[in-house]
Amino acid sequence: RTSRHHHFLGTMRGVAIGLSLAYACCLAVVALIGFSAITTGIVLLAEGDNYGDTAEDLSPQKDFSKLPESCVIEDVIHSYREEEDGYGHHCYDDYSYVFSYQGGRYRSRGNAALRYDGVCHGSQRRSPVFVVGEEVPCWEPNVRPVATQYNCGNDMCYKIFDPENEVEIAKDTGDAMEAAGLSSLLSGILCCCCCAPAVWYAGKNRGHASEQPMPGMDAGPQAAVVLPDQYGKGTQGQVVQGRVIGQVQGA
């Protein structure tokens, strides 16, 4: 009976240790996610703020000039992609254009357009902004290097998209990066705040448990073992492991 009791206590202790380790691992994962989200949020906030502020300082009228001749659209390059988020599928058409100017051929930046809030299969693609053979106004930069916010599609940075519109797009991109960074930062802080009380509670329970003796290991008479004295004698009638014994004789 005593052996079964000890075996049961050992099993329960092993289960408790296993659950504690699993709980600690879960807390560690949540904390890691929280710190990663905080780091990502800080980076996005900083980069978004810098990107948007730089766009605010740009002057498209000074940085670009309209070319004296029109550019001619030589080719329309199309692809599509499908993305999924927490709200469903979204289908996008991606266009870029090959155009010529004074015998040279250049490629524009990409231009994405939402086709349909759903899967791409069975949906009709959106029409391109330009068509082959169309003559369009184009711009060349007055300054070098050209700011990233102008989104050049070729080394000369000849553009068939109005630079003023590019600046507005850059401002919106900076705002979107800041919004994503703020969301990530708040999510990370929330994760860490949820972990802190759990860690405190686990530590408190661990300290409380360490002060409590294990069942069957207390100092009561049922667990007392009286050793013989120096003359080989013990106290008459002591309880040793649940049994009453008589006087212990020395060897």
Side-chain angles (χ1 to χ4, degrees), residues 112-207:
L114 176 64
R115 179 198 297 187
Y116 177 66
D117 281 326
V119 297
C120 293
H121 180 71
S123 60
Q124 185 175 3
R125 75 181 188 180
R126 295 191 59 169
S127 300
V129 178
F130 308 110
V131 296
V132 175
E134 183 178 358
E135 294 186 2
V136 297
C138 45
W139 292 261
E140 66 175 344
N142 297 325
V143 294
R144 298 284 181 178
V146 182
T148 305
Q149 285 78 0
Y150 285 119
N151 200 5
C152 298
N154 53 78
D155 293 338
M156 295 297 295
C157 201
Y158 287 160
K159 299 187 66 64
I160 56 175
F161 292 101
D162 193 333
E164 291 190 19
N165 292 337
E166 304 285 44
V167 171
E168 294 302 319
I169 293 173
K171 292 178 183 178
D172 292 340
T173 301
D175 291 340
M177 291 173 66
E178 289 187 54
L182 181 60
S183 176
S184 180
L185 180 62
L186 292 177
S187 298
I189 292 174
L190 181 62
C191 283
C192 292
C193 288
C194 290
C195 283
V199 172
W200 174 82
Y201 182 75
K204 181 180 179 181
N205 279 355
R206 183 179 180 86

Side-chain angles (χ1 to χ4, degrees), residues 67-76 96-108 130-139 154 156 158-160:
L67 291 170
E69 299 179 17
S70 297
C71 294
V72 180
I73 303 299
E74 301 288 348
D75 193 13
V76 177
S96 62
Y97 305 89
V98 177
F99 60 94
S100 61
Y101 178 74
Q102 293 185 345
R105 289 169 63 91
Y106 308 93
R107 185 165 178 169
S108 74
F130 308 110
V131 296
V132 175
E134 183 178 358
E135 294 186 2
V136 297
C138 45
W139 292 261
N154 53 78
M156 295 297 295
Y158 287 160
K159 299 187 66 64
I160 56 175

Side-chain angles (χ1 to χ4, degrees), residues 5 10-11 15 17 28 58 64 70 114 117 150 157 193 218 225 227:
H5 181 63
T11 302
V15 170
I17 292 174
L58 294 176
F64 280 83
S70 297
L114 176 64
D117 281 326
Y150 285 119
C157 201
C193 288
D218 58 5
V225 177
L227 298 177

